[in-house]
Amino acid sequence: MGATPTFGHVGTARPGDLFASRLDLSLRGQHRPPRAGVCATSAHGAESLILADQYEDDEIHDDYFWYAGYGSRDGQTGRQVAHQDLNHRNRALTRSQETGRPIRVFRRIDAAPAAWQFRYEGLFYIVNLEYITGKSGFGVYRFRLEPWRAKTN
């Protein structure tokens, strides 16, 4: 991921736009990694993330969501199998909270004609983080994201 980070909207994409696959998101520069759920660096923070609705400690609400941190999950079940640590992706998410930069959020949806598509939810920012005992009994980082609003002076 040697490309320069892009924070904010990319191209003409706007909330509600649909993308066919993770590869489509990657090729269009919306969410560059074709497999990882977070596009980020520890130095700059997160550019984008994908809500896949498959991890037990995520909480999705109408006006905000809690995004469970990266690591120590079973890839098939989404269940935690060990405590998370402050790895490079979780550090990148904490960096996003420090900088207040917007993060592009995409959500996997069940929609025709494809079995799975991704919808651009818009720009969000991290307003809080916590380290909790998750549903499987292991320590989990959770990041609360809310819709991004440009700061005015």
Side-chain angles (χ1 to χ4, degrees):
M1 298 219 322
T4 303
T6 301
F7 299 95
H9 298 298
V10 171
T12 60
R14 292 299 176 260
D17 287 355
L18 296 176
F19 297 86
S21 64
R22 283 183 182 251
L23 181 58
D24 186 28
L25 287 168
S26 180
L27 292 173
R28 294 172 184 247
Q30 298 293 326
H31 181 79
R32 289 182 284 120
R35 297 192 72 184
V38 178
C39 179
T41 66
S42 297
H44 300 287
E47 298 174 54
S48 60
L49 62 83
I50 293 178
L51 290 172
D53 292 336
Q54 61 186 0
Y55 298 114
E56 65 185 1
D57 293 308
D58 286 347
E59 278 183 40
I60 312 299
H61 300 275
D62 289 340
D63 54 348
Y64 70 95
F65 62 92
W66 285 98
Y67 185 77
Y70 177 80
S72 304
R73 282 188 281 238
D74 180 291
Q76 297 299 313
T77 67
R79 292 177 52 97
Q80 287 298 129
V81 295
H83 298 297
Q84 288 184 347
D85 61 10
L86 200 55
N87 56 51
H88 68 286
R89 287 195 177 96
N90 290 337
R91 277 196 316 270
L93 289 165
T94 61
R95 181 72 179 137
S96 289
Q97 183 182 13
E98 294 167 0
T99 66
R101 289 184 178 132
I103 301 168
R104 290 182 304 283
V105 174
F106 299 88
R107 187 169 186 184
R108 189 173 72 174
I109 59 170
D110 186 7
W116 291 105
Q117 292 185 356
F118 294 87
R119 181 178 59 223
Y120 183 29
E121 298 296 310
L123 300 176
F124 286 73
Y125 68 110
I126 297 175
V127 298
N128 192 22
L129 80 97
E130 59 185 15
Y131 189 75
I132 64 162
T133 300
K135 292 178 180 175
S136 293
F138 296 102
V140 175
Y141 284 95
R142 290 198 331 160
F143 302 86
R144 181 179 168 133
L145 285 92
E146 295 181 358
W148 186 77
R149 293 169 185 79
K151 294 182 169 103
T152 58
N153 291 2

